[in-house]
Amino acid sequence: MLTVVAPMSPRVSIVLPTCRREGLALTCRALEAQTFRDFELVIVDEQRVRAIPATSFPVRRICAEPLDWWAPGRAFNAGIVAARGTFVAF
């Protein structure tokens, strides 16, 4: 019998809505420098950010439906739904 054990959820999910965000690499580098490591980064975008920098922490990308105008509330809500952490940070 095969038992599948799900990975533990992170303590904190950091939700980061983006819209053509030029500073995404800088944000990821800042998170790399943190001593607290029990987190995941949930990036919510309209797939306009082409590449996500390589990181040593879990990163999940959630695609918000394409919008003619940026709706940050909708992006935050999508990130909250996707978050696996006990706590959610923005």
Side-chain angles (χ1 to χ4, degrees), residues 12-84:
V12 178
S13 293
I14 301 168
V15 176
L16 180 64
T18 63
C19 183
R20 296 181 294 265
R21 189 178 182 102
E22 301 295 327
L24 187 57
L26 180 62
T27 300
C28 287
R29 281 196 305 272
L31 289 173
E32 287 281 353
Q34 301 302 307
T35 56
F36 181 80
R37 304 298 294 174
D38 192 8
F39 66 87
E40 69 173 347
L41 177 62
V42 179
I43 298 173
V44 184
D45 68 3
E46 297 174 319
Q47 293 188 341
R48 292 182 182 179
V49 177
R50 290 190 180 92
I52 295 174
T55 63
S56 64
F57 52 84
V59 175
R60 292 187 305 130
R61 186 175 186 177
I62 307 300
C63 179
E65 57 186 83
L67 305 168
D68 292 332
W69 47 274
W70 185 240
R74 192 180 314 176
F76 280 111
N77 289 340
I80 290 169
V81 169
R84 295 180 302 171

